[in-house]
Amino acid sequence: MHAVCFANPPLVMAGHLHMPASLQPGVRYPAIVCVHPSGGVKEQTAGLYAARLAEAGFIALAFDASYQGESGGEPRQLENPYARVEDISAAVDYLTTLEWVDSGRIGVMGICAGGGYAAHAAMMDTRIQAIGTVSAVNYGQMYRQGWENSAKPQECLALRDLAMAARTAEANGEAIQYLPTTPERPEDAPHPDLAEAFDYYRTDRARHGNAPSKLPTRSLAQLVTYDAFSKVELFLTQPLLVIAGSDAGTRWMSEALHQRAASQEKELLIVEGGTHIGMYDLPHLVEAAMDRLAPFYKTHL
């Protein structure tokens, strides 16, 4: 694994480039962009999957999103869905410049919100030849309809107002306002998946200093109005592999992506006993995902 930087004007992005153990001189390899969840960093689940894909013979790039981790941008931790999508194309740009990469064989793999962003990017960026998702979340839809599709969309209008109030306060000299992205105590979690998110992001299981589990309040306005899956029936045409845990509250979003995508070659894998967060790092669940991801990319890249 090599620490790398690449341009995403006007920002500089930080990534980890995971390479197959033995590169053959003069050979160009297929490459995969690995996209982390909202609030995550390259050292967590995206890096884990990138390392496993490298073991399977691919070049894999895990990177920190704009405004997050070691990548540039202010305010810190901004979760701008449109920037997140552009990040993916910037990562593809970078891969096309590498002598070891076959620029005609580039795929994308996203986890959680990264899966939604990956789908959105693939609809625009036809250099992406195949897309895989794990625990995919359409982040805007999650804010509108809830983790388990049980919320009333009208309730999110208050979040839009909250975001605009924060922008006004900050424009008038107040400090940037932040909100937690994961429960600060496990007993505060409204769903078992979110209690597991506390365990993943806030304990030694996967805690990282560059992933503080917060976002600027102003992000809410962009998130609640965003739809990662808009027009997938027309524009998402690449081969698609969607993976979700059977016990994930977000499983419905993965199923919707699979059902709606225009892809002629598409597959849905439901991993028995898998939870939303468990698919990030639990060895037997990651193994189940990789058992399908590796052959999928070998076929389509």
Side-chain angles (χ1 to χ4, degrees):
M1 184 272 286
H2 306 277
V4 298
C5 293
F6 58 94
N8 184 13
L11 305 180
V12 175
M13 308 292 287
H16 285 165
L17 191 65
H18 295 259
M19 311 287 277
S22 178
L23 291 178
Q24 301 298 317
V27 175
R28 291 181 178 265
Y29 292 80
I32 301 169
V33 176
C34 296
V35 190
H36 66 66
S38 172
V41 287
K42 62 187 179 300
E43 291 84 0
Q44 296 171 325
T45 181
L48 173 61
Y49 276 96
R52 292 299 307 273
L53 288 166
E55 291 173 4
F58 301 94
I59 292 173
L61 174 64
F63 66 93
D64 291 332
S66 297
Y67 309 97
Q68 299 174 29
E70 295 179 306
S71 292
E74 296 287 343
R76 299 309 297 166
Q77 306 310 130
L78 186 72
E79 185 73 16
N80 179 332
Y82 305 98
R84 291 290 310 264
V85 172
E86 182 61 25
D87 291 347
I88 297 169
S89 285
V92 174
D93 291 342
Y94 170 68
L95 288 174
T96 67
T97 71
L98 301 180
E99 61 179 316
W100 319 286
V101 171
D102 182 342
S103 60
R105 293 192 290 162
I106 295 176
V108 65
M109 182 258 169
I111 306 105
C112 188
Y117 298 140
H120 191 166
M123 284 192 279
M124 295 185 290
D125 196 330
T126 55
R127 298 172 300 175
I128 296 171
Q129 299 297 304
I131 172 175
T133 68
V134 172
S135 296
V137 169
N138 180 345
Y139 214 37
Q141 192 175 30
M142 184 272 289
Y143 274 99
R144 291 187 297 274
Q145 296 175 233
W147 193 257
E148 291 189 298
N149 196 22
S150 58
K152 297 179 180 179
Q154 292 78 7
E155 294 173 352
C156 79
L157 299 179
L159 300 178
R160 184 181 58 173
D161 294 339
L162 186 65
M164 291 302 100
R167 288 193 66 142
T168 297
E170 291 159 16
N172 284 274
E174 294 188 20
I176 296 172
Q177 298 178 24
Y178 286 90
L179 292 170
T181 55
T182 58
E184 295 177 313
R185 302 183 306 166
E187 56 266 31
D188 295 336
H191 188 277
D193 282 336
L194 299 177
E196 193 174 7
F198 168 91
D199 185 55
Y200 185 82
Y201 286 107
R202 295 185 182 271
T203 76
D204 290 343
R205 174 173 170 181
R207 178 170 50 202
H208 194 279
N210 289 337
S213 286
K214 65 180 183 179
L215 55 70
T217 304
R218 63 163 54 198
S219 294
L220 292 175
Q222 291 168 317
L223 291 171
V224 301
T225 57
Y226 173 69
D227 187 353
F229 298 165
S230 178
K231 309 300 183 185
V232 293
E233 297 88 349
L234 175 63
F235 291 115
L236 187 56
T237 56
Q238 297 95 323
L240 172 68
L241 171 60
V242 178
I243 300 174
S246 64
D247 300 337
T250 56
R251 172 178 167 175
W252 62 280
M253 281 184 271
S254 290
E255 292 172 334
L257 174 61
H258 173 260
Q259 179 181 14
R260 292 173 54 190
S263 308
Q264 292 299 304
E265 298 179 80
K266 58 184 179 180
E267 182 178 356
L268 174 66
L269 170 64
I270 301 300
V271 179
E272 190 61 34
T275 59
H276 179 91
I277 300 291
M279 297 300 304
Y280 287 20
D281 69 331
L282 295 184
H284 68 291
L285 299 178
V286 172
E287 198 66 35
M290 283 302 305
D291 281 348
R292 201 65 65 88
L293 283 165
F296 168 78
Y297 288 119
K298 286 179 179 179
T299 296
H300 297 293
L301 299 181

